[in-house]
Amino acid sequence: MSHISYSELKDWSFCAHYHKLTRVDGIDGFKGNEYTAFGSAIHSVCEKKLLQEDIADSFFVEELKKNISELEDDVDNKLVSQMMKQGASIIPEIDDALNEYFEEYEVLAVEMPLYEPIQGEENYKFKGYIDAVVATPDGKVHIFDWKTCSWGWDAKRRSDKMVTYQLTLYKKYFCQKMDVDPKDVETHFALLKRTAKKNHVEFFRVTSGPRKTENALKLLSTALYNIKNKRYIKNRLSCTSGFGCKFFKTEHCP
């Protein structure tokens, strides 16, 4: 049984040819860096805090060092040193931010796996992991995803459809898996800000209603159609937009 994840869908949306190079041909695209090492370490802290597990004061630093040691490229030691201090500023605010945002809540799951059939696609399932699922006394279930960043997200990023489709699809397949009414499920991002002067942890709600879900599923269906039919059209707009593509003007994409 084949599957597709949100990250794979995002790669395809970025550029179908990039998707082919990384997901089909197996050519390494992005291998990770100091920022992903930091994100993984702080996520581990968040998970343990949600589960109310005792963690040593050195836990985050040890996790970060372990993740850094696994990187293949040269490491910016000055940046890593800064990240250790930044993590120390974020961690004390996690519990307070959760309590302030949800007030009273029950943790239902952390790192909840999804592997759900995609309607209309006999041989494909949607695969993912939901960072956290909590319930509140009003009967609502809340799905949220931790996101590390520098100072925060501007309005454009907060409303970017490819960013928010992650939660939309997680909600869709969570409801399918758990047989829950989508009206009773809300979605949120939780920003963990490395360089912010204050409010290092910020939650905000993302709407994931029927129309948005329909649009996300249409994109998923279009991606699968093209992937199955080996249509790997280059998206030239992605070659140099933002951080650009690492394959731009290389032997893989001249």
Side-chain angles (χ1 to χ4, degrees):
M1 178 70 71
S2 299
H3 63 261
I4 186 170
S5 63
Y6 162 74
S7 61
E8 183 174 354
L9 175 64
K10 186 170 67 171
D11 283 351
W12 180 86
S13 180
F14 174 73
C15 175
H17 184 65
Y18 175 88
H19 173 273
K20 173 184 180 294
L21 293 174
T22 57
R23 304 282 181 165
V24 180
D25 298 341
I27 300 172
D28 287 333
F30 180 66
K31 298 180 181 179
N33 56 25
E34 294 90 342
Y35 299 100
T36 56
F38 176 89
S40 179
I42 205 75
H43 270 65
S44 295
V45 174
C46 292
E47 180 178 332
K48 288 185 175 295
K49 279 187 168 290
L50 275 171
L51 294 173
Q52 297 185 340
E53 295 181 5
D54 291 331
I55 57 175
D57 293 340
S58 60
F59 177 79
F60 166 73
V61 172
E62 291 170 356
E63 284 289 298
L64 179 58
K65 287 181 176 178
K66 181 189 73 173
N67 296 341
I68 291 293
S69 70
E70 295 172 353
L71 297 178
E72 298 181 15
D73 297 330
D74 292 337
V75 172
D76 184 338
N77 290 317
K78 182 179 179 181
L79 176 60
V80 174
S81 179
Q82 292 172 346
M83 287 178 166
M84 290 180 183
K85 296 177 182 178
Q86 291 162 353
S89 296
I90 293 172
I91 292 169
E93 295 187 17
I94 294 172
D95 286 333
D96 288 343
L98 280 163
N99 292 328
E100 181 178 343
Y101 190 73
F102 292 113
E103 295 184 352
E104 185 180 346
Y105 65 92
E106 176 188 1
V107 178
L108 301 182
V110 295
E111 286 296 309
M112 182 181 196
L114 297 174
Y115 197 65
E116 290 298 303
I118 299 173
Q119 185 176 4
E121 301 289 344
E122 293 183 3
N123 298 316
Y124 271 89
K125 290 192 175 185
F126 180 82
K127 180 180 180 180
Y129 290 88
I130 300 174
D131 281 351
V133 184
V134 304
T136 47
D138 59 0
K140 294 289 186 180
V141 174
H142 305 267
I143 290 171
F144 65 91
D145 193 82
W146 301 106
K147 293 294 185 187
T148 53
C149 57
S150 54
W151 59 269
W153 286 2
D154 60 17
K156 181 179 179 181
R157 183 163 177 80
R158 288 171 186 250
S159 61
D160 186 309
K161 69 177 183 179
M162 278 312 303
V163 172
T164 59
Y165 276 175
Q166 177 183 9
L167 290 175
T168 303
L169 291 170
Y170 282 4
K171 174 180 174 178
K172 157 67 181 176
Y173 291 108
F174 168 82
C175 292
Q176 180 173 305
K177 175 177 181 173
M178 304 303 295
D179 192 23
V180 175
D181 189 335
K183 293 180 181 178
D184 295 328
V185 180
E186 296 185 355
T187 52
H188 319 260
F189 280 121
L191 302 184
L192 305 164
K193 308 174 189 178
R194 292 185 302 102
T195 63
K197 300 298 182 182
K198 58 181 180 178
N199 300 327
H200 295 92
V201 183
E202 178 192 359
F203 284 82
F204 68 92
R205 184 170 177 264
V206 175
T207 57
S208 297
R211 180 174 294 181
K212 189 172 184 180
T213 301
E214 181 182 353
N215 291 337
L217 291 174
K218 282 182 179 178
L219 179 65
L220 185 63
S221 177
T222 300
L224 288 174
Y225 174 83
N226 284 277
I227 291 168
K228 289 186 294 184
N229 288 281
K230 300 180 179 181
R231 294 166 55 91
Y232 306 123
I233 301 172
K234 295 179 183 179
N235 180 5
R236 295 293 184 183
L237 295 176
S238 295
C239 292
T240 56
S241 63
F243 292 105
C245 175
K246 71 170 295 177
F247 298 119
F248 183 52
K249 292 187 177 178
T250 67
E251 60 181 310
H252 304 296
C253 189

